[in-house]
Amino acid sequence: MHRVSVAEVLLTDVRTHGDDRFEAAAQWPRSHPTFPHGGDGRHHPLMIAETLRELGIYIPTRYYAVPAGAHFLIRDISYRLDPETEPRAPYGASDITCRAAVTDIRTGPCGRFVTGMRLDVVLSAGGKLFAWAGGTARFLDGTTYAETRAAAHGHTARRRLRAAVRPSPAQLAVPAARDVLVVRDGGVVYLDPADPRHPFFFDHWSDHMPGLVLLEGARQAAALATGGALTRPVACRMKAIRFTESYPPAVVECTSHGRTCVFRLRQAGICTAVGVLQYL
């Protein structure tokens, strides 16, 4: 799962049904330290995105011969949640069933190895469908990844945020100060994680900002921009245009339109990711 800590792994079983279709079991803990359930027992919506991410790593490596050491790059990710049927966890954990379908399989020269695919997943709990998720990823070997990163590196200098103010956890609807991923500096919001060794977001070293950090950073920026009015997105879409580097801190721009928030991340004047968050 590209995790160091086994406690962060949600998947418990995956089986193939042939024809690029799979069934998987996952368990969402009630006590997840970063994404705890709400007061009414609901899980954090980004548990959907993490389940999709894990399936997007396990299925290609287990069933499509993608090397475990390959670099997995998210191109786009989305989910949609039905609040009427989503599971509650007043006690213990929630057992989740996932039905996944692989499409748009990309291969390298002569079709010898898989270099990318799309994965669409339907999630259910207690026999009720409650979420839909999908995403596209590329898989790069070490040499190709190194060449791609060399071409991407053009602005790695550390930018000093002169008057940065870090929001409180309550403003962003996160459990603790270490979970805060953004700061405000002169009216501008930047992606600048409080804890660069966060046990979930940075479970292992990465030479760029992971996709879930971008998504959660955008969610936090939306919460900050709306004064806490928008905190729990029931749907989202994000497209990663290029790598978002750790430095300089990326600008996170959010514009709300009713119960929808459009976001964009920019770094050194270049757009690295765009997306939209939707709320009830």
Side-chain angles (χ1 to χ4, degrees):
M1 299 301 96
H2 288 192
R3 290 285 185 194
V4 173
S5 173
V6 67
E8 299 293 350
V9 177
L10 304 180
L11 294 182
T12 59
D13 191 19
V14 180
R15 300 177 182 179
T16 178
H17 286 287
D19 299 324
D20 300 317
R21 296 186 178 276
F22 305 86
E23 187 172 26
Q27 190 172 81
W28 291 0
R30 180 173 178 256
S31 58
H32 195 283
T34 305
F35 298 141
H37 70 87
D40 57 1
R42 295 182 300 173
H43 294 277
H44 196 294
L46 287 192
M47 295 290 276
I48 302 171
E50 171 60 13
T51 303
L52 176 66
R53 187 196 71 83
E54 292 185 13
L55 285 167
I57 293 173
Y58 184 81
I59 289 176
T61 55
R62 175 66 178 82
Y63 297 101
Y64 293 89
V66 174
H71 296 267
F72 290 68
L73 304 181
I74 295 175
R75 301 190 67 177
D76 62 82
I77 186 172
S78 64
Y79 73 77
R80 177 167 55 91
L81 169 69
D82 183 353
E84 296 297 323
T85 57
E86 68 175 305
R88 264 63 167 179
Y91 308 99
S94 294
D95 292 322
I96 310 299
T97 299
C98 308
R99 288 181 172 81
V102 171
T103 58
D104 195 22
I105 299 174
R106 306 292 180 90
T107 58
C110 303
R112 288 180 297 177
F113 50 88
V114 174
T115 60
M117 64 176 59
R118 176 167 183 80
L119 182 65
D120 289 287
V121 182
V122 176
L123 296 88
S124 62
K128 295 181 180 180
L129 301 180
F130 72 90
W132 297 258
T136 307
R138 290 192 300 158
F139 318 127
L140 306 183
D141 60 33
T143 300
T144 304
Y145 183 77
E147 293 172 350
T148 303
R149 293 299 286 133
H153 279 306
H155 49 272
T156 57
R158 183 184 294 264
R159 181 188 186 279
R160 188 177 184 83
L161 300 178
R162 297 181 179 179
V165 176
R166 192 168 297 281
S168 69
Q171 289 178 284
L172 308 179
V174 298
R178 71 177 185 181
D179 302 318
V180 175
L181 300 180
V182 298
V183 297
R184 196 201 300 267
D185 184 36
V188 179
V189 177
Y190 292 91
L191 184 66
D192 186 28
D195 183 0
R197 296 197 300 172
H198 190 280
F200 176 79
F201 294 119
F202 302 103
D203 170 78
H204 57 280
W205 180 84
S206 175
D207 64 356
H208 62 277
M209 287 293 186
L212 286 190
V213 171
L214 306 183
L215 190 55
E216 170 62 6
R219 188 203 67 77
Q220 292 186 14
L224 192 62
T226 61
L230 303 179
T231 60
R232 191 175 192 268
V234 295
C236 82
R237 295 194 305 273
M238 184 182 75
K239 181 178 181 180
I241 300 171
R242 56 184 293 151
F243 290 100
T244 299
E245 308 292 349
S246 299
Y247 299 105
V251 175
V252 189
E253 301 170 337
C254 289
T255 304
S256 60
H257 305 276
R259 308 302 291 177
T260 299
C261 186
V262 178
F263 66 87
R264 177 173 66 173
L265 281 87
R266 289 190 300 107
Q267 200 161 42
I270 299 173
C271 184
T272 62
V274 295
V276 60
L277 302 167
Q278 295 179 314
Y279 303 79
L280 287 180

